[in-house]
Amino acid sequence: MSTSSTIELAAKDLNPQGGVFCPNPKADMKLWNSHPRVFLDVARTGQARCPYCGTVYALKAGEVVAHGH
């Protein structure tokens, strides 16, 4: 099943490693259409696509991810 939607994220929405998990509440996914939880590295390129549902998680224009820990 492919949702083909794009979820815009602020830098503060990313975890300390620069990513998000899918399924994600921001994608308004219901329990019945969930898939295994996967980590997606958004900080590396500014966006990432879920291999299960096709949802794209992308940083909003102008958002900057702080590098270095």
Side-chain angles (χ1 to χ4, degrees):
M1 177 176 131
S2 179
T3 61
S4 298
S5 62
T6 299
I7 307 303
E8 289 191 326
L9 302 169
K12 67 179 179 156
D13 295 327
L14 304 181
N15 65 23
Q17 292 76 36
V20 294
F21 286 99
C22 189
N24 191 296
K26 289 191 170 288
D28 194 31
M29 294 180 175
K30 307 296 183 215
L31 183 60
W32 59 266
N33 69 352
S34 293
H35 53 68
R37 184 182 230 196
V38 292
F39 174 78
L40 304 169
D41 185 358
V42 176
R44 189 168 51 93
T45 63
Q47 72 176 26
R49 179 182 300 273
C50 176
Y52 288 100
C53 67
T55 299
V56 174
Y57 294 88
L59 285 176
K60 291 179 184 174
E63 288 291 315
V64 177
V65 177
H67 292 286
H69 299 163

